[in-house]
Amino acid sequence: MSLVITRRAGEKIYIFLEPNADLDSIVKTLVTTGIEIKVTSIKGSQVKVGIEAPSELTVLREELCEF
C-alpha cells in the first residue's frame, strides 16, 4: 500500500492491524520489509508524508479515527 498524507504540526497518523490479518504473516513481512515513512514535501506549515506499508495494515489520519 502506498499513501501520501498531508499533515500540519501536531496532527497525527495512526497505523492499525486489520482485524482478520494473519499475525505470523504480518510479523514476517514487518521484520523483512518494515514500514517506510518518507517526507515527500514541505510547504509552509504542511508536510506531505508518504507511507509504504503491508496491505494488512490500515493507515488513517487522526480525524478519521473513532476512539
Side-chain angles (χ1 to χ4, degrees):
M1 164 189 257
S2 184
L3 176 68
V4 176
I5 298 176
T6 301
R7 299 282 79 193
R8 289 188 171 101
E11 293 181 329
K12 299 175 185 175
I13 297 169
Y14 288 92
I15 300 175
F16 296 99
L17 184 61
E18 286 290 325
N20 297 326
D22 176 8
L23 293 179
D24 289 334
S25 172
I26 190 66
V27 168
K28 287 178 186 174
T29 301
L30 289 173
V31 167
T32 58
T33 63
I35 298 170
E36 179 182 295
I37 300 172
K38 179 181 180 180
V39 174
T40 61
S41 69
I42 300 171
K43 190 175 190 178
S45 64
Q46 294 183 335
V47 175
K48 283 191 180 179
V49 179
I51 302 167
E52 185 76 34
S55 60
E56 295 89 359
L57 299 176
T58 299
V59 180
L60 292 174
R61 300 184 321 255
E62 178 181 26
E63 59 270 21
L64 297 178
C65 297
E66 296 178 11
F67 296 114

